[in-house]
């Protein structure tokens, strides 16, 4: 069998794909984006995390919700990545929809220590 020739795509392509997935509410596409970003070792940004966790977390499917939380954790724990309030809120909302309230409360407590929470104003506001 022939191997596939896969080209590593730049992050801006994944950002555009996330915008399309959000616009169409396509959970399958969102999951594929998350898988491809991980396979290409593409660094998540706050927008892609918010978009993917929102779509996957709202699917009602436990596997999709697990993928959403894995995306969030990967981005949160990556060096030189700072997630904004939207990414945190989407991850917490997904946990709530999945019935994982203890984990959601734990993230709410962690979120209180994030730089964007200083002064109670989100970046850009």
């Amino acid at each position: 069998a022939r191997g596939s020739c896969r080209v590593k795509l730049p992050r801006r392509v994944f950002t555009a794909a996330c915008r399309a997935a959000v616009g169409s509410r396509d959970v399958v596409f969102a999951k594929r984006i998350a898988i491809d970003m991980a396979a290409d070792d593409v660094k998540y940004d706050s927008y892609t995390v918010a978009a993917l966790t929102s779509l996957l977390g709202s699917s009602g499917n436990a596997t999709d919700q697990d993928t959403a939380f894995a995306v969030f954790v990967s981005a949160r724990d990556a060096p030189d990545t700072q997630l904004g309030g939207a990414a945190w809120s989407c991850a917490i909302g997904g946990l709530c929809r999945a019935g994982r309230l203890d984990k959601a409360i734990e993230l709410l407590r962690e979120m209180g220590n994030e730089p964007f929470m200083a002064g109670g104003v989100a970046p850009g506001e």
Side-chain angles (χ1 to χ4, degrees):
R2 298 170 80 186
S4 67
C5 181
R6 185 159 154 68
V7 175
K8 184 174 178 177
L9 300 171
R11 186 171 68 187
R12 69 182 179 277
V13 172
F14 288 106
T15 300
C18 283
R19 291 185 197 284
V22 166
S24 63
R25 303 294 301 158
D26 190 334
V27 174
V28 174
F29 187 34
K31 190 167 188 175
R32 188 72 243 171
I33 294 165
I35 290 166
D36 286 352
M37 286 183 80
D40 286 357
D41 198 29
V42 175
K43 184 178 172 183
Y44 294 104
D45 61 19
S46 198
Y47 174 79
T48 56
V49 171
L52 293 173
T53 56
S54 176
L55 277 172
L56 295 170
S58 66
S59 74
N61 178 295
T63 302
D64 291 345
Q65 291 167 335
D66 289 344
T67 300
F69 189 64
V71 164
F72 173 79
V73 169
S74 175
R76 180 195 64 190
D77 295 347
D80 301 324
T81 299
Q82 187 168 335
L83 299 177
W88 281 82
S89 295
C90 290
I92 291 166
L95 289 168
C96 289
R97 283 187 295 278
R100 299 174 183 166
L101 300 181
D102 289 341
K103 190 65 182 170
I105 290 169
E106 182 181 321
L107 278 187
L108 277 169
R109 289 187 177 123
E110 283 181 43
M111 187 174 77
N113 297 321
E114 288 297 303
F116 70 85
M117 293 293 289
V121 177
E125 292 186 356

